[in-house]
Amino acid sequence: MAKRGYLYHILLLTALGAYVFDIVQEGVELTKIAAAKKANLRKRQLMEERVSNVAARHNFLAVTKSTWPECVNLKMSAEACKDFIDNEIYKYFTEQDRYIRSVIMGKRRKTDQ
């Protein structure tokens, strides 16, 4: 009878240890994801600051749109997205004297919001 109780306690402690390990591992993964999102947000803010500074120095208009959900929703390639953006710029600013430039900053990931 003593052996059966001993084995029961060992199984219980093993299961508890596996559960705790899983919870800790999940917490570490969530922390990594949050850190990646924060770093990506900071990169985007720095890029927008640089673009705004360049725009101010060269008397450009401010950045009016930094994301194009249509490209993401339709899963366009980089070239197709750039063509789509250029077409939209042409459509909305025809016959207006403005300098407009579209720039693709980098490959998007699912974590980007």
Side-chain angles (χ1 to χ4, degrees), residues 35-51:
K37 281 186 177 182
K38 189 175 181 181
N40 189 33
L41 176 64
R42 183 65 185 142
K43 282 182 189 176
R44 188 174 294 154
Q45 287 172 341
L46 288 172
M47 180 60 79
E48 287 177 1
E49 280 179 31
R50 287 195 323 219
V51 170

Side-chain angles (χ1 to χ4, degrees), residues 31 50 83:
T31 303
R50 287 195 323 219
D83 291 341

